[in-house]
């Protein structure tokens, strides 16, 4: 009896040691769970839902091709409602339920809030939804980022304005949100003011979720600002343009990538302003996103397809890279192995969205080249006015 019990215990120990299900959090014999934390509700839902569906498309593409070494990829998304405290709650829930790695990490303030937890838990994460310089500078062992920082995206636009449309008696201004996202916006503003040695008004800050910008635009007017960073997240941008149009302010305007989304352009159209934006990926409808759209049409419902925008593309690229890193680890993937594969310097194919991307041990950021875009809301057009360049 004692021998059979001992034998059973030994067999159980061997089975446990060899079982792929016990290899790592988020891994079972049949599944690999990859997590998102995104604003699926709130004013930022326009971009959060798109990023979620981009991850779903990447998982569907992998699963249709047999999965990852025989395992199906499962996407689990937690809604943080664009509230940093809820980003932390979402990550805690992912940890409790078991997740291998993270793609959507919330907006800038949310990402900042979870960075210590990602490092403590050793969770591989690719920041793709809202670039945050602090995510990769200094380097965090398991955290990577796709895309140029807001500092570079906005500086590129201000440099273009300075070199091509510099108004007489140029005076720069910025309206920015009072959080980590807004801090990055202001850093771009300060960098440009110092680089171009131009006159500048004091930065104007607004509360997260603010709906009315009459007082802020009155300050822009009284300060004589004619080059403005409209540092809104989504609907704040057209609201700023609406208030500016009441005074017919002659503005050159720089914005973040959300300003290129069709709903934001539609809201901006009545106010008579063209403006600038910047990006580091191929735009929706271009040759670069043709493969993505082909897979999306085979993977999503009609209603889900309507939710796609450029944030779906970045979510797709990041998820595709995470999946490939796991695939390169073979039959028994671990988080440590996935990190090793991500920072190996080996190229990751993005299916035409960008040139092949790489990370390295001393460089956890990729796709940093920026192209300046001119946005005409009335025509519904987004036109590149520069080539991709490093800033």
């Amino acid at each position: 009896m004692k021998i059979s019990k001992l034998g059973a215990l030994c067999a159980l120990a061997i089975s446990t040691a060899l079982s792929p299900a016990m290899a790592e959090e988020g891994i079972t014999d049949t599944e690999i769970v990859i997590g998102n934390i995104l604003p699926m509700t709130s004013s930022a839902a326009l971009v959060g839902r798109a990023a979620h569906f981009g991850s779903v498309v990447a998982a569907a593409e992998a699963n249709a091709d047999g999965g990852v070494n025989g395992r199906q990829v499962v996407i689990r998304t937690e809604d943080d409602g664009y509230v940093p405290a809820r980003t932390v709650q979402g990550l805690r829930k992912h940890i409790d339920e078991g997740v291998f790695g993270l793609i959507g990490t919330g907006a800038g303030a949310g990402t900042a809030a979870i960075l210590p937890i990602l490092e403590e838990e050793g969770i591989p994460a690719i920041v793709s939804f809202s670039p945050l310089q602090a995510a990769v500078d200094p380097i965090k062992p398991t955290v990577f980022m796709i895309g140029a920082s807001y500092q570079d995206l906005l500086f590129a636009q201000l440099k273009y304005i300075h070199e091509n449309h510099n108004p007489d008696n140029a005076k720069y201004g910025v309206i920015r949100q009072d959080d980590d996202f807004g801090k990055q916006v202001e850093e771009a503003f300060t960098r440009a003011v110092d680089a171009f040695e131009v006159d500048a008004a004091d930065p104007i800050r607004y509360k997260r979720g603010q709906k009315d910008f009459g007082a802020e635009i009155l300050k822009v007017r009284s300060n004589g600002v004619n080059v403005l960073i409209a540092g809104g997240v989504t609907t704040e941008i057209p609201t700023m343009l609406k208030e500016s149009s009441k005074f017919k302010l002659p503005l050159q305007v720089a914005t973040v990538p959300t300003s290129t989304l069709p709903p934001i352009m539609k809201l901006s159209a009545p106010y008579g302003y063209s403006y600038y934006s910047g990006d580091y990926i191929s735009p929706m409808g271009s040759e670069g996103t043709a493969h993505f759209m082909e897979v999306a049409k085979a993977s999503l419902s009609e209603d889900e397809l309507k939710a796609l925008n450029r944030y779906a593309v970045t979510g797709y690229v990041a998820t595709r890279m995470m999946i490939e890193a796991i695939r390169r680890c073979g039959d028994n993937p671990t988080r440590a192995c996935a990190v090793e594969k991500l920072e190996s310097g080996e190229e990751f194919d993005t299916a035409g969205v960008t040139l092949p991307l790489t990370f390295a041990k001393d460089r956890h950021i990729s796709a940093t080249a920026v192209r300046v875009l001119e946005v005409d809301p009335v025509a519904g057009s987004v036109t590149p006015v520069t080539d991709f360049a490093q800033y």
Side-chain angles (χ1 to χ4, degrees):
M1 188 71 171
K2 289 181 180 179
I3 294 175
S4 67
K5 282 185 177 179
L6 178 61
L9 287 172
C10 289
L12 177 61
I14 294 170
S15 174
T16 300
L18 297 178
S19 172
M22 299 299 290
E24 194 66 273
E25 291 292 330
I27 300 284
T28 72
D29 290 333
T30 59
E31 293 182 345
I32 297 173
V33 180
I34 298 174
N36 276 316
I37 310 169
L38 296 165
M40 301 294 284
T41 56
S42 80
S43 61
L46 174 69
V47 291
R49 292 182 70 244
H52 163 74
F53 288 128
S55 291
V56 169
V57 170
E61 180 178 34
N63 291 338
D65 196 33
V68 179
N69 300 321
R71 296 181 175 96
Q72 294 286 287
V73 179
V74 176
I75 302 296
R76 289 184 186 162
T77 298
E78 290 295 320
D79 175 20
D80 69 2
Y82 195 50
V83 177
R86 289 180 59 186
T87 312
V88 175
Q89 292 171 3
L91 179 54
R92 291 296 185 193
K93 184 175 179 182
H94 276 316
I95 292 171
D96 288 344
E97 295 181 352
V99 66
F100 181 89
L102 206 64
I103 301 300
T105 57
T111 298
I114 65 174
L115 286 175
I117 306 172
L118 294 173
E119 188 166 359
E120 178 183 348
E121 297 288 338
I123 300 172
I126 302 179
V127 178
S128 60
F129 176 67
S130 182
L132 177 72
Q133 194 69 25
V136 291
D137 185 13
I139 287 175
K140 312 297 184 296
T142 66
V143 180
F144 301 82
M145 187 167 81
I146 296 172
S149 66
Y150 287 118
Q151 291 94 323
D152 286 354
L153 286 165
L154 287 161
F155 179 81
Q157 298 167 58
L158 294 176
K159 185 174 188 291
Y160 180 82
I161 291 170
H162 177 72
E163 293 177 348
N164 295 276
H165 300 290
N166 196 30
D168 294 335
N169 302 313
K171 189 165 187 179
Y172 282 43
V174 59
I175 304 174
R176 62 90 147 182
Q177 195 162 270
D178 61 346
D179 62 2
D180 284 341
F181 161 69
K183 181 181 178 182
Q184 294 178 82
V185 171
E186 186 173 328
E187 287 173 354
F189 165 77
T190 302
R191 177 183 171 191
V193 169
D194 291 344
F196 310 144
E197 298 181 343
V198 292
D199 194 13
D202 290 337
I204 301 169
R205 300 179 184 182
Y206 68 90
K207 296 291 184 184
R208 175 191 289 261
Q210 186 169 317
K211 303 297 184 185
D212 183 273
F213 289 87
E216 287 76 13
I217 295 301
L218 279 174
K219 288 182 182 179
V220 168
R221 183 192 186 200
S222 63
N223 289 332
V225 168
N226 49 21
V227 178
L228 176 68
I229 297 180
V233 180
T234 52
T235 56
E236 300 92 343
I237 297 167
T239 304
M240 292 179 196
L241 298 178
K242 176 183 178 180
E243 294 298 328
S244 300
S245 71
K246 293 178 181 178
F247 303 105
K248 296 182 171 57
L249 298 184
L251 296 175
Q252 297 286 335
V253 179
T255 64
V256 295
T258 48
S259 68
T260 65
L261 304 182
I264 303 305
M265 293 170 64
K266 185 176 181 180
L267 289 172
S268 301
Y271 309 120
Y273 288 98
S274 292
Y275 50 80
Y276 293 99
S277 190
D279 217 333
Y280 44 85
I281 61 169
S282 299
M284 293 289 288
S286 69
E287 183 178 350
T289 57
H291 174 80
F292 164 75
M293 285 305 303
E294 180 182 348
V295 180
K297 288 174 182 176
S299 310
L300 303 178
S301 69
E302 287 297 322
D303 285 344
E304 290 168 343
L305 286 170
K306 292 175 183 177
L308 299 184
N309 56 48
R310 58 89 59 200
Y311 289 87
V313 180
T314 57
Y316 168 77
V317 168
T319 309
R320 185 182 170 99
M321 292 178 74
M322 181 69 78
I323 289 171
E324 179 56 28
I326 298 169
R327 180 180 286 114
R328 291 174 185 177
C329 289
D331 291 338
N332 294 294
T334 64
R335 288 170 169 173
C337 176
V339 169
E340 178 184 335
K341 298 302 181 183
L342 284 168
E343 65 180 11
S344 68
E346 189 175 350
E347 290 184 344
F348 289 85
D349 178 22
T350 67
V353 174
T354 67
L355 295 175
L357 301 182
T358 64
F359 299 113
K361 285 184 177 295
D362 60 351
R363 179 179 50 79
H364 279 203
I365 185 171
S366 197
T368 56
V370 175
R371 179 167 56 185
V372 178
L373 309 169
E374 184 171 10
V375 184
D376 183 343
V378 175
S381 64
V382 178
T383 306
V385 292
T386 71
D387 293 328
F388 283 108
Q390 298 286 350
Y391 292 89

